[in-house]
Amino acid sequence: MGVNAGVNYREVDESNVWKFEKGARNQASYRLRNEGRLSYGLYYLRLFREMREGNVAKPVRKRMFRALKAARKFDPKPRFPNDPRYRR
């Protein structure tokens, strides 16, 4: 990637929605667990606003909002290399 810029949800389409879904789920989960419900809500509104401004197709928006909903249950645990539970 040539440029490391912020995420622009106006550019979501069928060809790249899978990347945005995972990123939105992860970001929303982090905000909910570490910054609180207000931060999660503000992130949700930002996504809604940017996708509306970008005229993102309705099926794509639905997928994105399902990802935000999935974030409520998504809570991955870090795997530490020295932990014997993770050795093969």
Side-chain angles (χ1 to χ4, degrees):
M1 301 180 81
V3 177
N4 188 6
V7 178
N8 185 353
Y9 293 104
R10 293 172 190 89
E11 298 176 359
V12 181
D13 60 29
E14 262 317 310
S15 68
N16 62 14
V17 68
W18 65 273
K19 291 187 282 187
F20 283 94
E21 277 179 310
K22 303 301 183 209
R25 180 202 62 195
N26 296 349
Q27 183 70 235
S29 175
Y30 175 83
R31 288 173 183 261
L32 189 58
R33 300 208 186 318
N34 298 299
E35 297 175 0
R37 290 185 301 189
L38 178 62
S39 180
Y40 171 81
L42 292 172
Y43 181 67
Y44 193 99
L45 290 173
R46 174 182 160 219
L47 237 91
F48 178 80
R49 186 185 74 245
E50 286 190 18
M51 287 192 297
R52 186 183 63 213
E53 290 171 357
N55 294 320
V56 174
K58 193 171 185 176
V60 173
R61 282 186 295 186
K62 280 186 174 183
R63 285 182 62 177
M64 292 297 293
F65 288 120
R66 268 185 270 163
L68 291 177
K69 185 177 178 183
R72 293 184 224 156
K73 292 183 180 179
F74 184 70
D75 189 18
K77 301 296 180 220
R79 293 176 55 154
F80 298 101
N82 296 329
D83 191 331
R85 292 178 293 175
Y86 301 118
R87 293 198 182 152
R88 293 184 178 171

